[in-house]
Amino acid sequence: MHLRLEQLSTVHDINPISRDAALFFFNGFSRTLRFFSRRDRIRGIIAFFGGVVLVMFRWPVFGMIGQLYGLVYLFGQFFPIAAASMRDVPVVGQVFRVPAVERFFQSFGGGGASSRRAPV
């Protein structure tokens, strides 16, 4: 089965909506609303949802860049936590123990291990 470019764009339009719906169902309405209404995350929220709108208006490259920036801005605090968990995985853990990779993921954290917590 071959997908045409128009069909692929339509599939990509549905992805952010399903990701937001999953966030809503896993966290509940009040926590999701609190997460997306915090003033310190307004830049990431605008970038993410602006990217969704750009993808729906057939500007997929710029929309995906906006979504990526918004996701990194919103969930950047979580990357060091996920990287620390990945160090314990048998095969992949060796990659996450490389000093350059550790520094890369720590750059997202903005603090020591005691100040980190999941963003949601």
Side-chain angles (χ1 to χ4, degrees):
M1 179 176 166
H2 297 286
L3 288 175
R4 292 189 321 240
L5 188 59
E6 297 87 24
Q7 292 171 326
L8 189 60
S9 179
T10 304
V11 170
H12 188 269
D13 290 348
I14 295 170
N15 186 22
I17 296 167
S18 62
R19 182 178 33 223
D20 295 340
L23 185 67
F24 169 74
F25 285 120
F26 285 125
N27 292 323
F29 180 74
S30 63
R31 289 188 73 188
T32 303
L33 186 63
R34 245 184 304 155
F35 178 77
F36 283 113
S37 64
R38 288 185 49 183
R39 285 194 155 298
D40 61 331
R41 295 184 179 150
I42 195 73
R43 182 183 294 174
I45 294 165
I46 290 172
F48 178 74
F49 286 112
V52 171
V53 169
L54 285 175
V55 168
M56 289 184 181
F57 284 127
R58 305 289 181 182
W59 288 72
V61 174
F62 296 112
M64 288 170 36
I65 291 170
Q67 288 177 13
L68 180 65
Y69 176 77
L71 285 175
V72 169
Y73 197 89
L74 289 172
F75 297 103
Q77 298 169 349
F78 183 68
F79 292 152
I81 298 169
S85 299
M86 292 300 287
R87 282 187 217 125
D88 298 333
V89 176
V91 175
V92 180
Q94 295 173 350
V95 174
F96 283 92
R97 287 188 199 104
V98 173
V101 175
E102 284 183 348
R103 281 193 305 272
F104 174 75
F105 281 106
Q106 289 302 324
S107 69
F108 288 105
S114 62
S115 67
R116 282 187 250 135
R117 63 181 217 104
V120 178

